Amino acid sequence: MGTDMNSDLLAWIRQQQDQGMEWFLDEGMPQQQSVATPTQNPAPVPVPQTSPVVTSATDKDDPFAQTCQSFVAATLELIQRHNAQTEFNPAAESEAAEAGLPETLEQIQAEVTACRACPLYETRTNTVFGAGNPASSLVFIGEAPGADEDRQGKPFVGKSGQLLGKIIEAIGFGREDVFICNILKCRPPNNRDPQAVEVAACENYLKRQLTLIRPRVICCLGRVAAQTLLGTSASLGKLRKTVHFYEGIPVLATYHPAALLRNPGWKRDTWEDVRKLRALHDALSE
């Protein structure tokens, strides 16, 4: 990270602190207070080869700015170690391309629309492929479509989707800047957790989506999305504490917006999670 970017990042963090928790408040809701090993050999994530941020006296008075800086510095070191242990094989990507993988998201979406690989096709109204910038450097992944998403064929369009939009805007992006999708492309009956056969049927679609988009960072929304993507049974509380990897891409986890609507006390933790997400995204963008 260059000095100018470091200064801009710290200024941005302080500016966002001034917003308090307003970004996630819904109308009529009182303000609440609250006290992986990759499966293949992906291309290494580029990491800035510079020293950590040097803070000023003002920065030292900003506890979260210090926490955010420490998180980014530790994460960059972790990514460097991960890259050193990961042997990139460009021939594998060439062979995959020659094997006939779709070259566009539209081609994959057409397959999803016609998919009958698991029983969910019998109860769905629409498949929900995903939406947003196909070249985004940031991808948000939820667990599965809900009733509103099933009706409209678009991800995160209900109340939780409106809250996700506020979260995304609070860290300086618009929904059109990022890509949003789910582990599953069809709604499970009664919004139950995805089953193994359903995850297996959709896994290839998600993997190909991420291969084409090539985001710098992935944010998993909720326990189910994080556990499923990372292949772990660890609690969300544990998963939130550090960075993980999916096919070589850094992954951070936070609460699902629907959970925040039920438990407003988790919103402050989510606010800190997404600020770390933005800081790491920017550090990897240099």
Side-chain angles (χ1 to χ4, degrees), residues 124-147:
R124 74 187 180 211
T125 302
N126 290 292
T127 57
V128 182
F129 179 73
N133 182 357
S136 177
S137 53
L138 177 59
V139 170
F140 289 87
I141 301 177
E143 61 183 82

Side-chain angles (χ1 to χ4, degrees), residues 96-164:
E98 293 176 0
L101 288 178
E103 296 183 8
T104 67
L105 290 174
E106 288 77 13
Q107 288 173 291
I108 303 175
Q109 184 171 10
E111 291 185 36
V112 169
T113 301
C115 182
R116 295 191 173 192
C118 79
L120 290 182
Y121 84 89
E122 298 176 346
T123 57
R124 74 187 180 211
T125 302
N126 290 292
T127 57
V128 182
F129 179 73
N133 182 357
S136 177
S137 53
L138 177 59
V139 170
F140 289 87
I141 301 177
E143 61 183 82
D148 292 320
E149 292 75 18
D150 178 62
R151 282 192 295 269
Q152 298 186 39
K154 299 177 181 179
F156 285 89
V157 293
K159 290 184 178 179
S160 64
Q162 295 170 14
L163 180 53
L164 177 59

Side-chain angles (χ1 to χ4, degrees), residues 56-72:
S56 65
T58 302
D59 300 328
K60 293 178 181 178
D61 295 332
D62 185 343
F64 187 76
Q66 291 290 302
T67 299
C68 201
Q69 292 173 83
S70 298
F71 168 79
V72 170

